[in-house]
Every structure is written in C-alpha cells, then in structure tokens.
Amino acid sequence: MSVGLDKVIVVDDDPELRALLRRFLSGHGFETRAVEGAAALDRELSRNPADSVVLDLMMSGEDGLAICRRLRAAGDMTPIFMLTARGDPIDRIIGLESGADDYLPKPFEPRELVARLAAVLRRTRGEGSMPMDDIVRVGSLQINFSTRTVMRGGAIMKLSGREFALLAAPVRSRGRPLSRAQLIDRALGRDAEVTDRAVDVQVARLRRAIGARADDPQLIKTVWGVGYVLVADGA
C-alpha cells in the first residue's frame, strides 16, 4: 500500500458489505482494512492504529454503540464513522452521544461515504483557519490547536475529534454567539446531516467532557433564541 494514505478500518459482520467497502475505499485513496467484529478491531488497533474507523451499528456480539462507548471510555479518540440500517433520528442522536464523529444510515451512496469520511478526517486534523495563537486560554481551559488537546487544571481532557471541533468553533468566533446552523457549518461541515436536537446533545456531551457540572459556571453558555457562546468562567 502507498505511504501516506489515510488508514481506515471497516468493522461489519456482513462479509459482502465488508468486501464492498474495502474495495471502494481502497479505490478512492484510503488504506483500508476490513474486520468482522470487536475482537478483530481491537487486534488491528493494537497492531497498527487507524486514522478512522467505519463502524456498523447493528452487529452480533458487541454492537457498534458498545464498541464506540468502550473506545471513548478507554481514551481512544480515533474518529468513528457510524453506519446503521436504522433511519430513526433518535438512533443518530444516540450514536453521536456515544462518541461517534459522523453517522450515515443504510442504504447509502458509497461516494457520499467517501466525501463525508474525508470531511471527518479534515475536521479532526484541524484543517482550515486557526486562531492567531496555537495555544488559547479561555477561563480555566488551555486549548492547544497544534496538538488538538485541551487542559483544565493541569489535566488533559479526553475529547473526541467532534468534541474538539465543537469547542474550537466558538473559540474562533472570539466571543460572538453562534447559531446552531453556524455551529454545524463551522464544526461539522456544511454537508453534515445534523438536527438542532443532535447539536444540543453534542454540546451537553462537550460540557461534561470538559468537566462542567450543574453547580459550575459554564464555559459554553446557551444564548436563548440564538445558539451558543464560549465565555470565561463566571462570565
């Protein structure tokens, strides 16, 4: 395989779909491995980490949601692209809340998967405009755009690529509130199919990830009728 290609692991218990996705993604410039389930994925990740995981939601044994939650709980922030035969919006919300970076219901157009997978990889690598400084401090947060890490009180926060992007967008807005539509556009990409409710769920998840509690001043404040804004502690 060529050096420098994005490394993708496809996880699905359908052998025909695994083979199809491997051929298609390989033909579109990804170094692609395809495995049947959770145990095989764990082995692949331990041997050779991936740039992204394409994960089927409905699998026998440990399903996609359980795998996603386990990886995130273990601190593995590899971008995860979730595939599912379910079309109910609540399933999309659950998938995103579990830590997935994007979500595509079956059946889907393979070219859309390629485009959105590439967009996920761009976002998680922070391509695009950056603040003037590599390290930005907001209240008790220290945000490092070079390493894509966030520290609070000397401790590194475990953020997924999607969560970092959701935090970075209001930082770049320099105190100006962002509507949900603007947040989707700047953090997730204008082609992301994300509902306002899903954005609210992701913001709530981000608040928890950076250590906010109900009795704490929130860094990410809701601006009623507008959207969200990032402020210093107690502002």
Side-chain angles (χ1 to χ4, degrees), residues 68-80 98-99 101 160:
C68 187
R69 291 190 184 107
R70 176 169 59 81
L71 291 176
R72 295 306 188 230
D76 188 329
M77 296 303 151
T78 303
I80 292 176
S98 298
D101 292 274
S160 68

Side-chain angles (χ1 to χ4, degrees), residues 98-168:
S98 298
D101 292 274
D102 206 348
Y103 181 109
L104 193 61
K106 300 176 183 176
F108 56 85
E109 167 57 53
R111 286 176 296 182
E112 182 180 3
L113 173 60
V114 168
R116 292 175 64 173
L117 183 57
V120 165
L121 290 168
R122 285 196 302 270
R123 290 197 303 270
T124 55
R125 287 175 180 148
E127 292 183 5
S129 60
M130 289 287 164
M132 293 178 62
D133 301 320
D134 288 337
I135 298 177
V136 176
R137 289 177 174 82
V138 181
S140 60
L141 287 186
Q142 178 176 298
I143 305 161
N144 190 319
F145 285 89
S146 295
T147 61
R148 295 182 62 79
T149 57
V150 179
M151 297 185 68
R152 188 175 193 179
I156 295 179
M157 305 287 96
K158 292 181 179 179
L159 301 185
S160 68
R162 175 180 285 262
E163 288 164 349
F164 187 90
L166 283 171
L167 178 60

Side-chain angles (χ1 to χ4, degrees), residues 7-25:
K7 298 176 182 178
V8 177
I9 301 178
V10 174
V11 189
D12 200 301
D13 59 1
D14 181 336
E16 292 185 4
L17 184 57
R18 275 202 315 273
L20 172 65
L21 290 177
R22 181 174 184 175
R23 288 196 303 271
F24 195 85
L25 292 174

Side-chain angles (χ1 to χ4, degrees), residues 36-85:
E36 184 174 355
L41 171 63
D42 292 342
R43 287 194 297 270
E44 288 294 326
L45 288 174
S46 66
R47 293 169 182 166
N48 189 8
D51 296 305
S52 184
V53 173
V54 176
L55 181 61
D56 186 43
L57 176 64
M58 301 296 293
M59 292 188 293
S60 58
E62 190 176 12
D63 65 19
L65 286 178
I67 293 172
C68 187
R69 291 190 184 107
R70 176 169 59 81
L71 291 176
R72 295 306 188 230
D76 188 329
M77 296 303 151
T78 303
I80 292 176
F81 199 104
M82 194 81 77
L83 300 177
T84 179

